[in-house]
Amino acid sequence: MKTKVRQLLEEGRVDAFLAYKTIHGVPFPTLFTKENVDELEEWAPFKARYPVTKILLAQARQNPGKTFGVLVRGCEERSLYELFKWNQLSPDKVVVLGQACTEDLALYCECKKPFPDQLDYGEAPAPVPRSRRLEELEAMPETDRLQWWLSHFNRCIRCHGCRDVCPVCFCTECSLEHKELIPARKLPPDSSFHLVRAVHMAGRCIDCGLCEETCPAGIPLRALYKRVNDLVENIFDYQTGVPDGKSPFSMLGDESFLPAGPR
């Protein structure tokens, strides 16, 4: 990995490369340039995950003329495809190296594609085509399922952690902060908070699961977004996180604006 990244930097193909550096025994996202490339470590599989493409997007917005490299897993590559489609990142300004997830991480995530299209490091584990969590939910009577969801939503403390960590939440102004849509000063917030966000994740969620891992209330958000994405695929024949196609939600209706929120 040191050789590939150094070559990309020295040949001028990238201005910086987003990979990992071990800090206090934990791999942590780090931006490498020619000045600190010697600190880059040899690749090894690990389970820690971060919103690396969200970090990449922030860097790209701050430095629009620069080209960045990034080390991605399967879900992170899927987020790149969505960011490309939504014109948040330019494919010409991103160079990718891919790493496989470990088999136990793939099973934990119930991931349909736990490896990127471009695989440079690791061996691709077997995909997990079925979600046990969704099957258990679908087996519930509808009224029980509704109460199950409401019981989880009622634990929400409205910290916005799910939004803040999401690699495909890229809006510079968030509708979840508009009191016209989401009632303010109400804890726990009513279910509109999560229902509005679920609509926004439809056809966009890449099933990384960071929202659920970040949630301090332990709300099973991943199951919610998996189900929403299944509906989008069944109704619109659109699959999230693939390089081709265009989200049906980028083509429906006229442009509209929310009233200005409090400053």
Side-chain angles (χ1 to χ4, degrees):
M1 182 168 176
K2 282 185 177 181
T3 303
K4 285 187 177 182
V5 174
R6 184 185 297 275
Q7 186 175 2
L8 289 172
L9 289 167
E10 291 180 349
E11 291 178 356
R13 293 176 58 194
V14 300
D15 295 286
F17 194 95
L18 184 59
Y20 297 87
K21 178 181 177 180
T22 302
I23 300 176
H24 301 301
V26 179
F28 198 79
T30 303
L31 198 64
F32 294 93
T33 63
K34 290 180 182 179
E35 286 69 30
N36 67 343
V37 69
D38 289 333
E39 299 176 14
L40 188 65
E41 302 161 0
E42 292 297 341
W43 181 84
F46 60 92
K47 297 180 182 179
R49 297 183 303 122
Y50 304 89
V52 291
T53 53
K54 189 150 195 161
I55 299 171
L56 175 67
L57 178 60
Q59 288 291 328
R61 285 174 170 173
Q62 294 170 16
N63 305 278
K66 292 186 177 182
T67 299
F68 292 91
V70 60
L71 178 66
V72 296
R73 302 178 191 270
C75 57
E76 294 156 356
E77 183 185 61
R78 295 194 292 273
S79 71
L80 282 179
Y81 289 151
E82 289 303 310
L83 292 170
F84 293 156
K85 292 178 194 176
W86 287 90
N87 299 315
Q88 300 301 307
L89 286 172
S90 170
D92 297 333
K93 292 291 185 179
V94 179
V95 176
V96 171
L97 294 179
Q99 64 173 338
C101 288
T102 60
E103 185 175 355
D104 54 347
L105 185 57
L107 291 171
Y108 168 76
C109 291
E110 298 182 336
C111 185
K112 294 181 179 179
K113 190 172 180 292
F115 52 87
D117 292 334
Q118 177 180 324
L119 183 56
D120 298 280
Y121 305 104
E123 296 184 5
V128 183
R130 298 169 58 186
S131 171
R132 175 186 53 79
R133 300 167 194 168
L134 282 187
E135 290 176 351
E136 290 175 351
L137 276 172
E138 291 302 310
M140 289 183 184
E142 188 171 309
T143 53
D144 292 351
R145 188 161 66 245
L146 174 62
Q147 290 305 312
W148 186 87
W149 277 116
L150 291 176
S151 69
H152 285 293
F153 292 159
N154 285 339
R155 295 201 307 274
C156 178
I157 60 171
R158 199 167 175 177
C159 66
H160 294 100
C162 52
R163 176 202 65 182
D164 293 343
V165 79
C166 178
V168 289
C169 269
F170 49 73
C171 298
T172 55
E173 182 179 356
C174 181
S175 61
L176 295 176
E177 295 182 2
H178 278 265
K179 62 182 181 181
E180 290 82 5
L181 283 178
I182 311 295
R185 299 184 180 90
K186 183 179 180 182
L187 284 177
D190 61 31
S191 57
S192 62
F193 178 91
H194 287 289
L195 296 180
V196 168
R197 187 166 191 275
V199 170
H200 286 194
M201 288 293 96
R204 189 186 297 183
C205 174
I206 44 82
D207 192 30
C208 67
L210 290 175
C211 54
E212 184 170 310
E213 293 182 15
T214 299
C215 179
I219 301 171
L221 295 169
R222 193 170 201 168
L224 176 63
Y225 303 141
K226 277 178 181 283
R227 180 58 181 139
V228 169
N229 262 2
D230 283 349
L231 289 172
V232 171
E233 186 170 355
N234 292 335
I235 295 171
F236 296 104
D237 194 27
Y238 175 75
Q239 187 175 355
T240 306
V242 296
D244 53 353
K246 188 173 183 180
S247 170
F249 298 102
S250 66
M251 298 180 284
L252 297 178
D254 298 324
E255 187 172 340
S256 61
F257 298 91
L258 287 168
R263 298 296 180 186

